[in-house]
Amino acid sequence: RKKVAFNFGDDILPESLRDALTHDKIRRIVLIGQGTAAVAGKAISDGLARYLRDARIKIESKEASELSGFSLEDNLSDTLIIAITQSGTTTDTNRAVAMASERGAKVIAIVNRRQSDITGMADGVFYTSDGRDIEMSVASTKAFYSQIVAGHVLALCFAQMLNTLSDDLIAKELANLEQAPLMMDMLTGKKEEIGESARSLAKRKKYWAVVGSGPNKTAADEVRIKLSELCYKTISSDIVENKKHIDLSAEPLIIVCAAGNPRIVTEDIIKDVAIFKAHRAAVVVFADEGEKGFNGIADSVIAVPGAAMPLPVILNTMAGHIWGYYAAVSIDEEAAFVRGFRNRLSQVITEQDKNDYSIYERIADRKFHRTVRDFSKEFNRRRNSGVLSPMNVQTVSDITLFLKYAAGKLPLEDFWTDFDYGDGDFSPLDLPEIFLGRAIDELSRPIDAIRHQAKTVTVGTSRKEEPLKGVIFDILDELGFTTRNLFGKEIPVIKRLQRATSRVRGYTLYDITNLNAEGKPQDTSTITISKKGGVSLQMKSRAEASGTLMGTKKTIVRTGEIYAGLGKSDRTPIVILPLLKERDGVRNLLLLHVDFSESLGYDERKEVLGDRYYDIRNLVDEYNLTWDDSYLEEIPMGVLFGEAPEVIAGEIRGRKLSKCKMRNVK
C-alpha cells in the first residue's frame, strides 16, 4: 500500500480551514474566476465532484461576477470559495472574494502572480508558479494548464482529509497528473501537422464553433476563448450532441474536442461529425491516438495522446491553442499581403507626385498599372478560394470595385456614382488608405500585442454593496467604519441584534494595541479610549484607570465574536463589536449602550436569538420539562443574549418549579 503526504503548509491550507473541512463545517465549495480562470474552475469542479463523491459537500463553479451578483447569502460560514486568477488583480474575482469573505466564507486563491491583490484577501494562497511569475500575454495558456493541475492536487488533498479516496487511488491520480508534461511534449511534436490543418481550414469559413461533451465541454469553452482572442472572432461553444440542433445552417467551421471520451460517447460523436459534414460544415477533430472512426469524415483529424481524466481536458485544449495560433498566423498573412500592396502603391504614387501626374496619367502609367494588375489578380484568387472570409463583405466589395477603376477597366464617369461621398473632387486614388487600411485592420492578428485586454489590472464589474442600515450599522457609518471592518460571520448577528435593539444611547470606541504577530492578544496588549458619545460621556471606564486589555474585552479581541448582554459591573444592556483593520486583527472595540426591545413576542425572540434558542431549549429538555416558546418572554433580552445557555435554562427551570409550588400551596 502506498502512503501519500501533501506538503501544504498553513499558507495554503490554514489550520482553521483544515478543521472546518474535517469537522463537517464546510458544506459547499464554490470555484470562481473570470474568463479562462472560470473555465479552469469548471475543470477543477469536475475533479472535486469525482474525488469527493462520498462527502456531503455541494460542489459548484461560477463566474465570479455571477456569484457576487446573484448567489451571495447573508451567512456563508459553511462555504469555501476557491478563487482562480492569473494576475491576482481581476476586479470581478477580487470583488466577489471580498463580498463572500465579509459573509464568513473561507477563501483559497489559486494565483500565478505573487504579492498581487488577492493574496492579501485569501485565507490560503496556492501559487501556480508556472515558470513565469507575471504572464503578460492575453492568450494565457500556461496559467490555464497549471491552474487545472493545481486545483486537482488540492482536490486530492481534500479527498485524503475527508477519507473519500484511499492513498493508493490518490497516488494513482497524482501519477496521472505527473504525465501531463510528457503528454504535452508529445502533442507539441505535432505542431506542424496542426499548423497545416489551421492553414488549410481557418480562412475557409467565416463562422466558427468549438464543441465537446462531458469534461471536454470545458476544453471547448477554453479553446473558444483563445480562438476568439487570437483570431478576433465571436465563436460559439456547445455540447457536441447539441450542435446539430442549433445553427448548422451557418455552415461553420467546427472544432470537436473528442479525445479522452468513453467509447460509447466517441461512437455517437462520429455520427454527429457525419451530420456536420452533411450540412457542409468544415470539421476538425481532436481524437485519441489510434482512433480511426473520424477518418474520411472530418476534414482534419489531430491525434492526441491517450490519457485518463483530467489530462484529456488539458490536451484537447492545448491542441486547440496550437491550432488557434497557426490560424491567427495564417489570417495575419493575408493582412501582410494587403499591407505589401499598400506600400508598393504608395511608392508609385509618390514617384508620380514628383511628375505632377493627372489622374488619367496615373492610371495610364505602366508601373502603376502593373502594380494594380498583379495585386488584383492575386486578390481575386484569394477571394475566390475563400481565404479572405475574415474580411467584411463590404470591404471586399469596395476593394474589388476600387481595383477596377484604378486599373482603368471602368469609366471614371461612373466612379463618383459608385462612391458617393458627397464631394465630386476626389478620385479613385484618394481612397486606397481607407479601403486597404480597413482590410488590414480586419485581417491583422497581432498575436503578441495586448489588443483586447490589459492583463496587469483586468477591468470588469465593480458591484457596489447596498449600504447596511439600522441603529448599529448607522453608528458604524457615523464613525467611519464599513462592513470591511467586520468579521463576515458577525454581520448576520448584527442584523438580528438590531431587530432587538430599540435605540443606541451612547458609545465608547477603544483602540487595541500590542497584539502579537498573528493579531491575537497577549499579556502586554493594551486598550485605550479613542472616542465617546451619548451617555458614555458621563461614564467612567476601567480602561481609563488601567490600560491593560483584560476580561471580556480580551476574549472578544481573541475570538472576534460580538458580545451582547449586560455589563458585568453595572448590569446595563450593552453590545460590543470587534472591528478589524485591513485583516490585521481586531484593532478597535466599539461598546454600545443600548435599550433592548422587551416588547418582542416569543416568535421574534426566537428569531433574533438564532442558534442560542436551540442551545437553551435543549438544556431545558435535559430537565425533563416540556418546552414552550413562551418561556422566552419571561427572560429579559439582556439575559437571553448575554448569559450562558446553562444559566438561562436554570432560570427557566427555577421559574417553572416556583410556579408549580405556588399551585400546590393553593
Side-chain angles (χ1 to χ4, degrees):
R1 295 180 60 83
K2 296 184 178 179
K3 182 67 176 176
V4 177
F6 291 90
N7 63 344
F8 291 159
D10 285 345
D11 55 333
I12 298 176
L13 284 179
E15 190 60 36
S16 59
L17 178 54
R18 295 175 189 267
D19 179 78
L21 280 166
T22 55
H23 288 82
D24 227 23
K25 296 176 184 177
I26 298 297
R27 311 302 312 143
R28 180 186 179 208
I29 298 176
V30 185
L31 295 106
I32 64 170
Q34 289 297 136
T36 288
V39 178
K42 293 177 185 177
I44 297 168
S45 70
D46 286 343
L48 279 166
R50 290 197 307 273
Y51 301 152
L52 305 185
R53 185 173 297 151
D54 296 330
R56 293 179 299 169
I57 298 177
K58 182 179 180 182
I59 310 296
E60 302 174 67
S61 66
K62 294 178 178 290
E63 278 72 22
S65 56
E66 292 295 290
L67 175 70
S68 64
F70 305 99
S71 301
L72 288 177
E73 301 170 2
D74 286 343
N75 187 355
L76 294 177
S77 58
D78 66 344
T79 299
L80 168 63
I81 301 293
I82 300 179
I84 305 167
T85 169
Q86 182 219 153
S87 65
T89 57
T90 306
T91 305
D92 305 280
T93 303
N94 291 0
R95 184 60 182 137
V97 164
M99 296 174 76
S101 183
E102 288 168 3
R103 290 162 172 78
K106 300 286 187 183
V107 179
I108 292 178
I110 296 177
V111 60
N112 184 46
R113 185 181 172 196
R114 296 176 183 275
Q115 285 82 49
S116 54
D117 295 349
I118 201 170
T119 63
M121 305 168 69
D123 300 289
V125 180
F126 193 171
Y127 288 108
T128 49
S129 298
D130 60 16
R132 182 179 178 189
D133 200 40
I134 304 173
E135 184 175 354
M136 293 298 292
S137 168
V138 170
S140 175
T141 53
K142 299 191 299 294
F144 176 79
Y145 306 146
S146 60
Q147 286 162 355
I148 291 180
V149 174
H152 278 76
V153 172
L154 190 64
L156 288 168
C157 180
F158 289 174
Q160 186 185 66
M161 293 167 61
L162 299 174
N163 296 316
T164 58
L165 290 180
S166 67
D167 272 18
D168 282 343
L169 288 176
I170 292 173
K172 182 179 178 181
E173 292 291 334
L174 289 171
N176 181 48
L177 290 174
E178 288 179 339
Q179 293 301 305
L182 174 63
M183 298 292 184
M184 294 169 78
D185 281 344
M186 293 169 63
L187 191 55
T188 302
K190 297 177 179 289
K191 63 183 181 181
E192 292 304 322
E193 176 187 348
I194 298 173
E196 181 56 34
S197 170
R199 284 187 290 270
S200 66
L201 296 172
K203 294 177 286 191
R204 281 174 46 188
K205 297 289 185 178
K206 191 173 188 66
Y207 305 106
W208 295 3
V210 190
V211 296
S213 295
N216 281 335
K217 175 58 166 62
T218 300
D221 290 342
E222 170 57 12
V223 173
R224 177 191 74 86
I225 291 174
K226 289 305 177 291
L227 285 181
S228 68
E229 290 181 335
L230 287 167
C231 300
Y232 308 149
K233 280 180 171 287
T234 298
I235 301 169
S236 66
S237 173
D238 298 305
I239 293 170
V240 176
E241 295 79 1
N242 217 23
K243 189 63 183 172
K244 58 181 177 284
H245 299 292
I246 300 177
D247 61 354
L248 285 181
S249 59
E251 301 176 7
L253 165 68
I254 303 176
I255 297 176
V256 183
C257 299
N261 284 326
R263 185 64 208 169
I264 189 172
V265 175
T266 300
E267 290 173 355
D268 286 337
I269 293 178
I270 291 171
K271 299 173 187 175
D272 288 324
V273 169
I275 293 173
F276 300 163
K277 286 300 298 177
H279 285 77
R280 301 177 64 183
V283 184
V284 179
V285 179
F286 304 145
D288 284 323
E289 219 154 28
E291 174 57 56
K292 305 297 184 183
F294 298 102
N295 293 352
I297 302 175
D299 296 86
S300 174
V301 180
I302 306 300
V304 173
M309 286 296 172
L311 296 194
V313 174
I314 293 176
L315 297 173
N316 277 293
T317 303
M318 184 178 179
H321 286 165
I322 297 173
W323 196 95
Y325 168 81
Y326 285 108
V329 170
S330 180
I331 295 170
D332 195 64
E333 287 172 357
E334 305 305 317
F337 161 67
V338 178
R339 194 180 295 112
F341 169 65
R342 185 178 64 174
N343 292 340
R344 291 192 299 275
L345 187 63
S346 178
Q347 291 173 1
V348 172
I349 292 175
T350 299
E351 291 175 9
Q352 292 178 341
D353 287 340
K354 295 177 182 178
N355 297 318
D356 199 22
Y357 279 10
S358 68
I359 179 60
Y360 299 99
E361 291 171 322
R362 292 178 189 274
I363 292 176
D365 179 65
R366 287 186 177 183
K367 190 172 184 179
F368 178 88
H369 190 269
R370 185 171 58 251
T371 302
V372 171
R373 182 197 61 197
D374 292 344
F375 174 80
S376 180
K377 182 179 179 180
E378 181 60 15
F379 181 84
N380 288 327
R381 186 193 68 78
R382 296 185 185 217
R383 176 173 61 84
N384 292 332
S385 67
V387 300
L388 297 180
S389 64
M391 284 176 59
N392 186 286
V393 173
Q394 182 66 48
T395 304
V396 174
S397 174
D398 285 345
I399 290 177
T400 301
L401 195 55
F402 157 74
L403 290 173
K404 291 185 180 297
Y405 281 108
K409 293 182 178 180
L410 293 175
L412 285 179
E413 303 86 88
D414 294 340
F415 172 79
W416 289 274
T417 302
D418 288 332
F419 298 99
D420 185 11
Y421 283 79
D423 183 355
D425 292 332
F426 66 90
S427 77
L429 301 186
D430 294 322
L431 299 180
E433 281 296 321
I434 297 175
F435 295 154
L436 298 177
R438 191 192 307 157
I440 291 167
D441 284 342
E442 292 170 4
L443 292 169
S444 293
R445 302 297 185 265
I447 295 169
D448 292 329
I450 303 175
R451 176 163 174 172
H452 290 307
Q453 301 178 47
K455 297 302 276 188
T456 303
V457 179
T458 305
V459 298
T461 60
S462 181
R463 302 199 186 278
K464 293 186 177 179
E465 191 95 50
E466 287 284 336
L468 296 171
K469 298 294 184 181
V471 291
I472 296 177
F473 286 120
D474 291 347
I475 287 291
L476 285 168
D477 182 62
E478 180 184 321
L479 294 173
F481 294 100
T482 69
T483 52
R484 293 188 179 186
N485 300 109
L486 298 168
F487 289 92
K489 61 186 175 64
E490 299 303 324
I491 292 176
V493 177
I494 296 176
K495 287 184 174 180
R496 293 200 305 271
L497 280 173
Q498 288 189 142
R499 295 175 59 186
T501 304
S502 58
R503 66 169 177 154
V504 175
R505 298 187 300 117
Y507 67 85
T508 302
L509 179 64
Y510 299 96
D511 289 335
I512 308 299
T513 54
N514 293 335
L515 300 179
N516 65 19
E518 286 74 39
K520 299 296 183 181
Q522 50 192 351
D523 291 342
T524 57
S525 297
T526 59
I527 180 171
T528 55
I529 295 174
S530 172
K531 193 174 183 180
K532 284 186 175 185
V535 298
S536 298
L537 294 171
Q538 284 76 47
M539 295 181 174
K540 288 288 185 182
S541 170
R542 186 170 61 185
E544 294 175 315
S546 171
T548 302
L549 180 64
M550 62 180 70
T552 300
K553 294 183 179 67
K554 189 172 185 178
T555 299
I556 294 170
V557 172
R558 178 178 59 81
T559 63
E561 295 179 354
I562 292 173
Y563 174 81
L566 302 176
K568 299 302 180 185
S569 56
D570 56 13
R571 306 297 291 171
T572 59
I574 60 171
V575 172
I576 304 178
L577 306 177
L579 300 175
L580 297 165
K581 183 179 181 181
E582 298 178 354
R583 294 182 172 268
D584 195 25
V586 176
R587 297 299 179 176
N588 295 98
L589 292 179
L590 179 60
L591 187 151
L592 303 176
H593 293 279
V594 302
D595 285 337
F596 290 124
S597 300
E598 302 296 344
S599 61
L600 295 180
Y602 58 79
D603 282 338
E604 293 173 297
R605 292 179 180 229
K606 175 180 174 180
E607 290 182 15
V608 300
L609 284 173
D611 289 341
R612 283 179 66 84
Y613 163 81
Y614 297 102
D615 294 338
I616 296 166
R617 177 173 176 170
N618 292 339
L619 287 168
V620 170
D621 290 341
E622 289 288 329
Y623 293 128
N624 293 320
L625 297 175
T626 302
W627 174 261
D628 190 323
D629 285 347
S630 63
Y631 293 159
L632 298 176
E633 293 183 318
E634 301 172 3
I635 309 296
M637 290 301 304
V639 174
L640 287 175
F641 281 132
E643 295 295 343
E646 294 83 357
V647 174
I648 299 170
E651 185 168 338
I652 290 173
R653 176 174 181 269
R655 290 171 182 260
K656 183 74 172 176
L657 293 175
S658 177
K659 288 181 180 179
C660 289
K661 288 180 181 179
M662 291 179 63
R663 283 197 296 269
N664 291 336
V665 169
K666 290 180 179 179

